[in-house]
Amino acid sequence: MSGDTMRRGSKDGGLEKIREASDAVEKSSTAIVVEKVRERWRTAGSIIVLAVTTVMLLRMDGYLSIDAQVFGGITLFLLVYFLATLRTDVSME
């Protein structure tokens, strides 16, 4: 029984974890940014959809309506949030 627990413990602390840690250090900052944006594809997609909706509202109404202002404000808020959290995540890597 105790031999089984020793094998399990040594399996968790193997060279694979060291290799994974060294791979993370070798990544360039551009690769990290692309990886983080891929992880947040839903947020990036919603920013794009909101921006397109805002532009369409501006073109349909012909002026800056309340709806266009609301959609534009939400788009800007999400964009600022996305960029701030992306910057934090990249600096932590």
Coordinates of all heavy atoms in Angstrom, one line a residue:
M1 N 0.8 -1.2 0.0 CA 0.0 0.0 0.0 C 0.8 1.3 0.0 O 0.6 2.2 -0.7 CB -0.9 0.0 1.2 CG -2.2 -0.6 1.1 SD -3.4 0.5 0.4 CE -4.8 -0.5 0.7
S2 N 1.8 1.3 0.9 CA 2.6 2.5 0.9 C 3.4 2.7 -0.4 O 3.8 3.8 -0.7 CB 3.6 2.5 2.1 OG 4.5 1.4 2.0
G3 N 3.8 1.6 -1.1 CA 4.5 1.8 -2.4 C 3.6 2.5 -3.4 O 4.1 3.2 -4.2
D4 N 2.3 2.2 -3.3 CA 1.4 2.9 -4.3 C 1.3 4.4 -4.1 O 1.3 5.2 -5.0 CB 0.0 2.3 -4.1 CG -0.2 0.9 -4.7 OD1 0.7 0.5 -5.4 OD2 -1.1 0.2 -4.3
T5 N 1.3 4.8 -2.8 CA 1.3 6.2 -2.5 C 2.6 6.9 -2.9 O 2.6 8.0 -3.3 CB 0.9 6.5 -1.0 OG1 1.9 5.9 -0.2 CG2 -0.4 6.0 -0.7
M6 N 3.7 6.2 -2.8 CA 4.9 6.8 -3.2 C 5.0 7.0 -4.7 O 5.5 8.0 -5.2 CB 6.1 5.9 -2.7 CG 6.3 5.9 -1.2 SD 6.7 7.5 -0.6 CE 8.5 7.5 -1.1
R7 N 4.5 6.0 -5.4 CA 4.5 6.2 -6.9 C 3.6 7.3 -7.3 O 3.9 8.0 -8.2 CB 4.0 4.9 -7.5 CG 5.2 3.9 -7.7 CD 4.8 2.7 -8.5 NE 4.9 1.6 -7.6 CZ 4.0 0.6 -7.5 NH1 3.0 0.5 -8.3 NH2 4.2 -0.4 -6.7
R8 N 2.4 7.4 -6.7 CA 1.5 8.5 -7.1 C 2.2 9.9 -6.7 O 2.1 10.8 -7.5 CB 0.2 8.4 -6.3 CG -0.7 7.3 -6.8 CD -2.0 7.3 -6.1 NE -2.6 6.1 -6.2 CZ -3.5 5.5 -5.4 NH1 -3.7 6.2 -4.2 NH2 -4.0 4.4 -5.6
G9 N 2.8 10.0 -5.6 CA 3.4 11.3 -5.3 C 4.6 11.6 -6.2 O 4.7 12.8 -6.5
S10 N 5.3 10.7 -6.6 CA 6.5 11.0 -7.5 C 6.0 11.3 -8.9 O 6.6 12.0 -9.6 CB 7.5 9.8 -7.5 OG 6.9 8.7 -8.0
K11 N 4.8 10.7 -9.2 CA 4.3 11.0 -10.6 C 3.8 12.5 -10.7 O 4.0 13.1 -11.7 CB 3.1 10.1 -10.8 CG 2.8 9.9 -12.3 CD 1.5 9.2 -12.5 CE 1.6 7.7 -12.2 NZ 0.4 6.9 -12.6
D12 N 3.3 13.0 -9.6 CA 2.8 14.4 -9.7 C 4.0 15.4 -9.8 O 3.8 16.5 -10.3 CB 2.0 14.7 -8.5 CG 0.6 14.1 -8.5 OD1 0.2 13.7 -9.6 OD2 0.0 13.9 -7.5
G13 N 5.1 15.1 -9.2 CA 6.2 16.0 -9.2 C 7.3 15.7 -10.2 O 8.4 16.0 -10.1
G14 N 6.9 15.1 -11.4 CA 7.8 14.7 -12.4 C 8.3 15.8 -13.2 O 8.1 17.0 -13.0
L15 N 9.1 15.5 -14.3 CA 9.7 16.4 -15.2 C 8.7 17.1 -16.0 O 9.0 18.2 -16.6 CB 10.7 15.7 -16.0 CG 11.9 15.2 -15.3 CD1 12.8 14.4 -16.2 CD2 12.7 16.3 -14.6
E16 N 7.5 16.6 -16.2 CA 6.5 17.2 -17.0 C 6.1 18.6 -16.5 O 6.0 19.6 -17.3 CB 5.2 16.4 -17.1 CG 5.5 15.1 -17.9 CD 4.2 14.2 -17.9 OE1 3.1 14.7 -17.6 OE2 4.3 13.0 -18.3
K17 N 6.0 18.7 -15.2 CA 5.6 20.0 -14.6 C 6.8 21.0 -14.8 O 6.5 22.2 -15.1 CB 5.3 19.9 -13.2 CG 4.2 19.0 -12.9 CD 3.2 19.6 -12.0 CE 2.1 18.6 -11.8 NZ 0.8 19.2 -11.8
I18 N 8.0 20.6 -14.7 CA 9.1 21.5 -14.9 C 9.2 21.9 -16.4 O 9.4 23.1 -16.7 CB 10.5 20.8 -14.6 CG1 10.5 20.5 -13.1 CG2 11.7 21.6 -15.0 CD1 11.6 19.6 -12.6
R19 N 8.9 21.0 -17.3 CA 8.9 21.4 -18.7 C 7.8 22.4 -19.0 O 8.0 23.3 -19.8 CB 8.7 20.1 -19.6 CG 8.9 20.3 -21.0 CD 8.8 19.1 -21.9 NE 9.5 17.9 -21.3 CZ 9.0 16.7 -21.1 NH1 7.7 16.5 -21.4 NH2 9.6 15.7 -20.6
E20 N 6.6 22.2 -18.4 CA 5.5 23.1 -18.7 C 5.9 24.5 -18.1 O 5.6 25.5 -18.8 CB 4.2 22.6 -18.0 CG 3.6 21.4 -18.6 CD 2.4 20.9 -17.8 OE1 2.1 21.5 -16.8 OE2 1.9 19.8 -18.2
A21 N 6.5 24.6 -17.0 CA 6.9 25.9 -16.4 C 7.9 26.5 -17.3 O 7.9 27.7 -17.5 CB 7.4 25.7 -15.0
S22 N 8.9 25.8 -17.8 CA 9.9 26.4 -18.7 C 9.3 26.8 -20.0 O 9.7 27.8 -20.6 CB 11.1 25.5 -18.9 OG 10.7 24.3 -19.7
D23 N 8.3 26.1 -20.5 CA 7.7 26.5 -21.8 C 6.9 27.9 -21.6 O 6.9 28.7 -22.5 CB 6.7 25.5 -22.2 CG 7.4 24.2 -22.8 OD1 8.6 24.3 -23.1 OD2 6.7 23.2 -22.9
A24 N 6.3 28.1 -20.5 CA 5.6 29.3 -20.2 C 6.6 30.5 -20.2 O 6.2 31.6 -20.6 CB 4.8 29.2 -18.9
V25 N 7.8 30.3 -19.7 CA 8.7 31.4 -19.6 C 9.3 31.7 -21.0 O 9.5 32.9 -21.3 CB 9.9 31.0 -18.7 CG1 11.0 32.0 -18.7 CG2 9.4 30.8 -17.3
E26 N 9.4 30.8 -21.9 CA 9.9 31.0 -23.2 C 8.9 31.6 -24.2 O 9.3 32.1 -25.2 CB 10.4 29.6 -23.8 CG 11.5 29.0 -23.0 CD 11.9 27.7 -23.5 OE1 11.3 27.2 -24.5 OE2 12.8 27.0 -22.9
K27 N 7.7 31.8 -23.8 CA 6.7 32.4 -24.7 C 7.0 33.9 -24.8 O 7.3 34.5 -23.9 CB 5.3 32.2 -24.2 CG 4.8 30.8 -24.4 CD 3.4 30.7 -23.9 CE 2.8 29.3 -24.0 NZ 1.5 29.2 -23.4
S28 N 6.8 34.4 -26.0 CA 6.9 35.8 -26.2 C 5.6 36.5 -25.7 O 4.6 35.9 -25.5 CB 7.1 36.1 -27.7 OG 6.0 35.8 -28.5
S29 N 5.7 37.8 -25.6 CA 4.6 38.6 -25.1 C 3.4 38.6 -26.1 O 2.3 38.6 -25.7 CB 5.0 40.0 -24.7 OG 5.5 40.7 -25.8
T30 N 3.8 38.6 -27.4 CA 2.7 38.5 -28.4 C 2.0 37.2 -28.3 O 0.8 37.2 -28.5 CB 3.4 38.7 -29.8 OG1 4.2 39.9 -29.8 CG2 2.3 38.8 -30.9
A31 N 2.7 36.1 -28.1 CA 2.1 34.8 -28.0 C 1.1 34.7 -26.8 O 0.1 34.1 -26.9 CB 3.1 33.7 -28.0
I32 N 1.6 35.3 -25.7 CA 0.7 35.4 -24.5 C -0.5 36.2 -24.7 O -1.6 35.8 -24.3 CB 1.5 35.9 -23.3 CG1 2.7 34.9 -23.0 CG2 0.7 36.1 -22.1 CD1 3.6 35.5 -22.0
V33 N -0.4 37.3 -25.4 CA -1.6 38.2 -25.7 C -2.6 37.4 -26.6 O -3.8 37.4 -26.3 CB -1.2 39.5 -26.4 CG1 -2.4 40.2 -26.9 CG2 -0.4 40.4 -25.4
V34 N -2.1 36.7 -27.6 CA -3.0 36.0 -28.5 C -3.6 34.9 -27.7 O -4.9 34.6 -27.9 CB -2.2 35.4 -29.7 CG1 -3.0 34.4 -30.5 CG2 -1.7 36.6 -30.6
E35 N -2.9 34.2 -26.9 CA -3.5 33.1 -26.1 C -4.6 33.6 -25.1 O -5.6 33.0 -25.0 CB -2.4 32.4 -25.2 CG -2.9 31.3 -24.3 CD -1.7 30.8 -23.5 OE1 -0.6 30.8 -23.9 OE2 -2.0 30.3 -22.4
K36 N -4.4 34.8 -24.5 CA -5.3 35.3 -23.6 C -6.6 35.8 -24.3 O -7.7 35.7 -23.8 CB -4.7 36.5 -22.8 CG -3.7 36.0 -21.8 CD -4.2 35.1 -20.8 CE -3.1 34.6 -19.9 NZ -3.6 33.6 -18.9
V37 N -6.4 36.4 -25.5 CA -7.6 36.8 -26.3 C -8.4 35.6 -26.8 O -9.6 35.6 -26.8 CB -7.1 37.7 -27.5 CG1 -8.3 37.9 -28.5 CG2 -6.5 39.0 -27.1
R38 N -7.7 34.5 -27.1 CA -8.4 33.3 -27.5 C -9.2 32.7 -26.3 O -10.3 32.2 -26.5 CB -7.4 32.2 -28.0 CG -7.0 32.4 -29.4 CD -6.1 31.3 -29.8 NE -5.6 31.5 -31.2 CZ -4.7 30.8 -31.7 NH1 -4.1 29.9 -31.1 NH2 -4.3 31.1 -33.0
E39 N -8.7 32.9 -25.1 CA -9.4 32.4 -23.9 C -10.6 33.3 -23.7 O -11.6 32.8 -23.1 CB -8.5 32.5 -22.7 CG -7.4 31.4 -22.7 CD -6.5 31.6 -21.5 OE1 -6.7 32.5 -20.7 OE2 -5.5 30.8 -21.4
R40 N -10.6 34.5 -24.1 CA -11.7 35.5 -23.9 C -12.4 35.8 -25.1 O -12.9 36.9 -25.3 CB -11.1 36.8 -23.3 CG -10.4 36.6 -22.0 CD -9.6 37.8 -21.7 NE -8.9 37.6 -20.5 CZ -9.1 38.4 -19.5 NH1 -9.9 39.4 -19.6 NH2 -8.4 38.2 -18.4
W41 N -12.6 34.8 -26.0 CA -13.3 35.0 -27.3 C -14.7 35.5 -27.1 O -15.2 36.2 -28.0 CB -13.2 33.7 -28.1 CG -13.9 32.6 -27.6 CD1 -13.5 31.6 -26.8 CD2 -15.3 32.2 -27.9 NE1 -14.4 30.7 -26.5 CE2 -15.6 31.0 -27.2 CE3 -16.3 32.8 -28.7 CZ2 -16.8 30.4 -27.2 CZ3 -17.5 32.2 -28.7 CH2 -17.8 31.0 -28.0
R42 N -15.4 35.1 -26.1 CA -16.8 35.5 -25.9 C -16.8 37.0 -25.6 O -17.7 37.7 -26.2 CB -17.4 34.8 -24.7 CG -17.7 33.3 -25.0 CD -18.4 32.6 -23.9 NE -18.3 31.2 -24.0 CZ -17.6 30.4 -23.2 NH1 -17.0 30.9 -22.2 NH2 -17.6 29.1 -23.4
T43 N -15.9 37.5 -24.8 CA -15.9 39.0 -24.5 C -15.6 39.7 -25.7 O -16.2 40.8 -26.0 CB -15.0 39.3 -23.3 OG1 -15.3 38.4 -22.2 CG2 -15.0 40.7 -22.9
A44 N -14.5 39.3 -26.5 CA -14.1 40.0 -27.7 C -15.2 40.0 -28.7 O -15.5 41.0 -29.4 CB -12.9 39.3 -28.2
G45 N -15.9 38.8 -28.8 CA -17.1 38.7 -29.8 C -18.2 39.7 -29.4 O -18.8 40.3 -30.3
S46 N -18.5 39.8 -28.1 CA -19.6 40.7 -27.7 C -19.2 42.1 -27.9 O -20.1 42.9 -28.3 CB -19.9 40.4 -26.2 OG -18.9 40.7 -25.4
I47 N -17.9 42.5 -27.8 CA -17.5 43.9 -28.1 C -17.7 44.2 -29.5 O -18.2 45.2 -29.9 CB -16.0 44.1 -27.6 CG1 -15.9 44.0 -26.1 CG2 -15.5 45.4 -28.2 CD1 -14.5 44.0 -25.6
I48 N -17.4 43.2 -30.4 CA -17.5 43.4 -31.8 C -19.0 43.6 -32.2 O -19.4 44.5 -33.0 CB -16.9 42.3 -32.6 CG1 -15.4 42.3 -32.5 CG2 -17.3 42.3 -34.1 CD1 -14.6 41.1 -32.9
V49 N -19.9 42.7 -31.6 CA -21.3 42.8 -31.9 C -21.9 44.1 -31.4 O -22.7 44.7 -32.1 CB -22.0 41.5 -31.3 CG1 -23.5 41.7 -31.3 CG2 -21.6 40.3 -32.0
L50 N -21.5 44.5 -30.3 CA -22.0 45.8 -29.7 C -21.5 47.0 -30.6 O -22.3 47.9 -30.8 CB -21.6 46.0 -28.3 CG -22.4 45.2 -27.3 CD1 -21.7 45.2 -25.9 CD2 -23.8 45.7 -27.2
A51 N -20.3 46.9 -31.0 CA -19.8 48.0 -31.9 C -20.5 48.1 -33.2 O -20.9 49.2 -33.7 CB -18.3 47.8 -32.1
V52 N -20.8 46.9 -33.8 CA -21.5 46.9 -35.1 C -22.9 47.4 -34.9 O -23.5 48.1 -35.7 CB -21.5 45.4 -35.7 CG1 -22.5 45.3 -36.8 CG2 -20.1 45.1 -36.1
T53 N -23.6 47.0 -33.8 CA -24.9 47.4 -33.5 C -25.0 48.9 -33.3 O -25.9 49.6 -33.8 CB -25.4 46.7 -32.2 OG1 -25.3 45.3 -32.4 CG2 -26.9 47.1 -31.9
T54 N -24.0 49.5 -32.6 CA -23.9 51.0 -32.4 C -23.8 51.7 -33.8 O -24.5 52.7 -34.0 CB -22.7 51.3 -31.5 OG1 -22.8 50.6 -30.3 CG2 -22.6 52.8 -31.3
V55 N -22.9 51.2 -34.6 CA -22.8 51.8 -36.0 C -24.0 51.7 -36.8 O -24.4 52.7 -37.4 CB -21.6 51.2 -36.7 CG1 -21.5 51.6 -38.1 CG2 -20.3 51.5 -36.0
M56 N -24.7 50.6 -36.7 CA -25.9 50.4 -37.5 C -27.0 51.3 -36.9 O -27.8 51.9 -37.7 CB -26.4 48.9 -37.4 CG -25.6 48.0 -38.2 SD -25.6 48.4 -39.9 CE -24.3 47.6 -40.5
L57 N -27.1 51.5 -35.6 CA -28.1 52.4 -35.1 C -27.8 53.8 -35.5 O -28.7 54.6 -35.8 CB -28.1 52.3 -33.5 CG -28.8 51.1 -32.9 CD1 -28.5 51.1 -31.4 CD2 -30.3 51.3 -33.2
L58 N -26.5 54.2 -35.5 CA -26.2 55.6 -36.0 C -26.6 55.8 -37.5 O -27.1 56.8 -37.8 CB -24.7 55.8 -35.8 CG -24.2 56.1 -34.4 CD1 -22.7 56.1 -34.3 CD2 -24.8 57.4 -33.9
R59 N -26.3 54.8 -38.3 CA -26.7 54.9 -39.7 C -28.2 54.9 -39.9 O -28.7 55.6 -40.8 CB -26.0 53.8 -40.5 CG -24.6 54.0 -40.6 CD -24.0 53.0 -41.6 NE -22.5 53.2 -41.7 CZ -21.8 52.7 -42.7 NH1 -22.4 52.0 -43.6 NH2 -20.5 52.9 -42.7
M60 N -28.9 54.1 -39.2 CA -30.4 54.0 -39.4 C -31.1 55.2 -38.9 O -32.0 55.8 -39.6 CB -30.9 52.8 -38.7 CG -30.6 51.5 -39.3 SD -31.1 50.0 -38.4 CE -32.9 50.2 -38.4
D61 N -30.7 55.7 -37.7 CA -31.3 56.9 -37.2 C -30.8 58.2 -37.8 O -31.6 59.2 -37.9 CB -31.1 57.0 -35.7 CG -31.8 55.9 -34.9 OD1 -32.7 55.3 -35.5 OD2 -31.4 55.6 -33.8
G62 N -29.6 58.2 -38.2 CA -29.0 59.5 -38.9 C -28.5 60.5 -37.8 O -28.0 61.5 -38.2
Y63 N -28.7 60.2 -36.6 CA -28.2 61.1 -35.5 C -27.9 60.2 -34.3 O -28.1 59.0 -34.3 CB -29.2 62.2 -35.2 CG -30.5 61.7 -34.5 CD1 -30.6 61.7 -33.2 CD2 -31.5 61.2 -35.3 CE1 -31.8 61.2 -32.6 CE2 -32.7 60.7 -34.7 CZ -32.8 60.7 -33.4 OH -33.9 60.3 -32.8
L64 N -27.3 60.8 -33.3 CA -26.9 60.1 -32.1 C -28.1 60.0 -31.1 O -28.3 60.8 -30.3 CB -25.7 60.9 -31.4 CG -25.0 60.1 -30.3 CD1 -24.3 58.9 -30.8 CD2 -24.0 61.0 -29.7
S65 N -28.8 58.9 -31.3 CA -30.0 58.6 -30.5 C -29.6 58.1 -29.1 O -28.5 57.7 -28.9 CB -30.9 57.7 -31.2 OG -30.3 56.4 -31.3
I66 N -30.6 58.0 -28.3 CA -30.4 57.4 -27.0 C -29.9 56.0 -27.1 O -29.0 55.5 -26.3 CB -31.7 57.5 -26.1 CG1 -32.1 58.9 -25.9 CG2 -31.6 56.8 -24.8 CD1 -31.3 59.7 -25.0
D67 N -30.5 55.2 -28.0 CA -30.1 53.8 -28.1 C -28.7 53.7 -28.6 O -27.9 52.9 -28.0 CB -31.0 53.1 -29.2 CG -32.5 53.0 -28.8 OD1 -32.7 53.0 -27.5 OD2 -33.4 53.0 -29.6
A68 N -28.3 54.5 -29.5 CA -26.9 54.5 -30.0 C -25.9 54.9 -28.8 O -24.8 54.3 -28.7 CB -26.7 55.4 -31.2
Q69 N -26.3 55.8 -28.0 CA -25.5 56.2 -26.9 C -25.4 55.1 -25.9 O -24.3 54.9 -25.4 CB -26.1 57.5 -26.2 CG -26.0 58.7 -27.0 CD -26.7 59.9 -26.4 OE1 -27.0 59.9 -25.2 NE2 -27.1 60.9 -27.1
V70 N -26.4 54.4 -25.6 CA -26.4 53.3 -24.6 C -25.5 52.2 -25.2 O -24.6 51.7 -24.4 CB -27.8 52.8 -24.3 CG1 -27.8 51.5 -23.5 CG2 -28.6 53.8 -23.5
F71 N -25.7 51.8 -26.4 CA -24.9 50.7 -27.0 C -23.4 51.1 -27.1 O -22.5 50.4 -26.8 CB -25.4 50.3 -28.3 CG -26.5 49.3 -28.3 CD1 -27.9 49.7 -28.3 CD2 -26.2 47.9 -28.2 CE1 -28.9 48.7 -28.2 CE2 -27.2 47.0 -28.2 CZ -28.6 47.4 -28.1
G72 N -23.2 52.4 -27.4 CA -21.8 52.9 -27.5 C -21.2 52.9 -26.1 O -20.0 52.6 -26.0
G73 N -21.9 53.3 -25.1 CA -21.4 53.3 -23.7 C -21.0 51.9 -23.2 O -20.0 51.7 -22.6
I74 N -21.9 51.0 -23.5 CA -21.7 49.6 -23.1 C -20.5 49.1 -23.8 O -19.6 48.4 -23.2 CB -22.9 48.7 -23.3 CG1 -24.1 49.2 -22.4 CG2 -22.6 47.3 -23.1 CD1 -25.4 48.5 -22.7
T75 N -20.4 49.4 -25.1 CA -19.2 48.9 -25.9 C -17.9 49.5 -25.3 O -16.9 48.7 -25.2 CB -19.4 49.3 -27.4 OG1 -20.6 48.8 -27.9 CG2 -18.2 48.8 -28.2
L76 N -17.9 50.8 -25.0 CA -16.7 51.4 -24.5 C -16.3 50.8 -23.1 O -15.1 50.5 -22.8 CB -16.8 52.9 -24.4 CG -16.8 53.6 -25.7 CD1 -17.1 55.1 -25.5 CD2 -15.4 53.4 -26.4
F77 N -17.3 50.6 -22.3 CA -17.1 50.0 -21.0 C -16.5 48.6 -21.1 O -15.5 48.3 -20.4 CB -18.4 50.0 -20.1 CG -18.2 49.2 -18.8 CD1 -17.6 49.9 -17.8 CD2 -18.7 48.0 -18.7 CE1 -17.4 49.2 -16.6 CE2 -18.5 47.3 -17.5 CZ -17.9 47.9 -16.4
L78 N -17.1 47.8 -21.9 CA -16.5 46.4 -22.1 C -15.1 46.4 -22.7 O -14.3 45.6 -22.4 CB -17.5 45.6 -23.0 CG -18.5 44.8 -22.4 CD1 -19.4 44.1 -23.4 CD2 -17.9 43.7 -21.5
L79 N -14.9 47.4 -23.6 CA -13.6 47.4 -24.2 C -12.5 47.8 -23.2 O -11.4 47.2 -23.2 CB -13.6 48.4 -25.4 CG -12.3 48.6 -26.2 CD1 -11.9 47.3 -26.9 CD2 -12.4 49.7 -27.2
V80 N -12.8 48.8 -22.4 CA -11.9 49.2 -21.3 C -11.7 48.1 -20.3 O -10.5 47.8 -19.9 CB -12.4 50.5 -20.6 CG1 -11.6 50.8 -19.3 CG2 -12.3 51.7 -21.6
Y81 N -12.7 47.4 -19.9 CA -12.6 46.3 -19.0 C -11.8 45.2 -19.6 O -10.9 44.6 -19.0 CB -14.0 45.7 -18.7 CG -14.0 44.4 -18.0 CD1 -13.7 44.4 -16.6 CD2 -14.3 43.2 -18.6 CE1 -13.7 43.2 -15.9 CE2 -14.2 42.0 -17.9 CZ -13.9 42.0 -16.6 OH -13.9 40.8 -15.9
F82 N -12.0 44.8 -20.9 CA -11.3 43.8 -21.6 C -9.8 44.1 -21.7 O -8.9 43.3 -21.4 CB -11.8 43.6 -23.0 CG -11.1 42.6 -23.9 CD1 -11.4 41.3 -23.7 CD2 -10.3 43.0 -24.9 CE1 -10.8 40.3 -24.4 CE2 -9.6 42.0 -25.6 CZ -9.9 40.7 -25.4
L83 N -9.5 45.4 -22.0 CA -8.0 45.8 -22.1 C -7.3 45.8 -20.8 O -6.2 45.4 -20.7 CB -7.9 47.1 -22.9 CG -8.3 47.1 -24.3 CD1 -8.3 48.5 -24.9 CD2 -7.4 46.2 -25.1
A84 N -8.1 46.2 -19.8 CA -7.4 46.3 -18.4 C -7.2 44.9 -17.9 O -6.1 44.6 -17.3 CB -8.4 47.1 -17.5
T85 N -8.1 44.0 -18.0 CA -7.9 42.7 -17.5 C -6.9 41.9 -18.4 O -6.1 41.1 -17.9 CB -9.2 41.9 -17.5 OG1 -9.8 41.9 -18.7 CG2 -10.1 42.5 -16.4
L86 N -6.8 42.2 -19.7 CA -5.9 41.6 -20.6 C -4.5 42.0 -20.2 O -3.5 41.2 -20.1 CB -6.1 41.9 -22.0 CG -5.2 41.3 -23.1 CD1 -5.4 39.8 -23.1 CD2 -5.5 41.9 -24.4
R87 N -4.3 43.3 -19.9 CA -3.0 43.8 -19.5 C -2.5 43.2 -18.2 O -1.4 42.8 -18.0 CB -3.1 45.3 -19.3 CG -1.8 45.9 -18.9 CD -1.9 47.4 -18.8 NE -0.7 48.0 -18.3 CZ -0.6 49.1 -17.7 NH1 -1.7 49.9 -17.5 NH2 0.6 49.6 -17.3
T88 N -3.5 43.0 -17.2 CA -3.1 42.4 -16.0 C -2.7 40.9 -16.1 O -1.7 40.5 -15.6 CB -4.3 42.5 -15.0 OG1 -4.7 43.8 -14.9 CG2 -4.0 41.9 -13.7
D89 N -3.5 40.2 -17.0 CA -3.2 38.8 -17.2 C -1.8 38.6 -17.9 O -1.1 37.7 -17.6 CB -4.2 38.1 -18.0 CG -5.5 37.8 -17.2 OD1 -5.4 38.0 -16.0 OD2 -6.5 37.5 -17.8
V90 N -1.5 39.5 -18.9 CA -0.2 39.4 -19.6 C 0.9 39.7 -18.6 O 2.0 39.0 -18.7 CB -0.2 40.3 -20.8 CG1 1.2 40.4 -21.4 CG2 -1.2 39.8 -21.8
S91 N 0.7 40.7 -17.8 CA 1.8 41.0 -16.8 C 2.0 39.9 -15.8 O 3.1 39.8 -15.3 CB 1.5 42.4 -16.2 OG 0.4 42.3 -15.3
M92 N 1.0 39.2 -15.5 CA 1.2 38.1 -14.5 C 1.8 36.9 -15.1 O 2.4 36.0 -14.4 CB -0.2 37.7 -14.0 CG -0.8 38.7 -13.1 SD -2.5 38.3 -12.5 CE -2.1 37.0 -11.4
E93 N 1.9 36.7 -16.4 CA 2.5 35.5 -17.1 C 4.0 35.6 -17.0 O 4.7 36.4 -17.1 CB 2.0 35.4 -18.5 CG 0.6 34.9 -18.6 CD 0.5 33.4 -18.2 OE1 1.4 32.6 -18.5 OE2 -0.5 33.0 -17.6

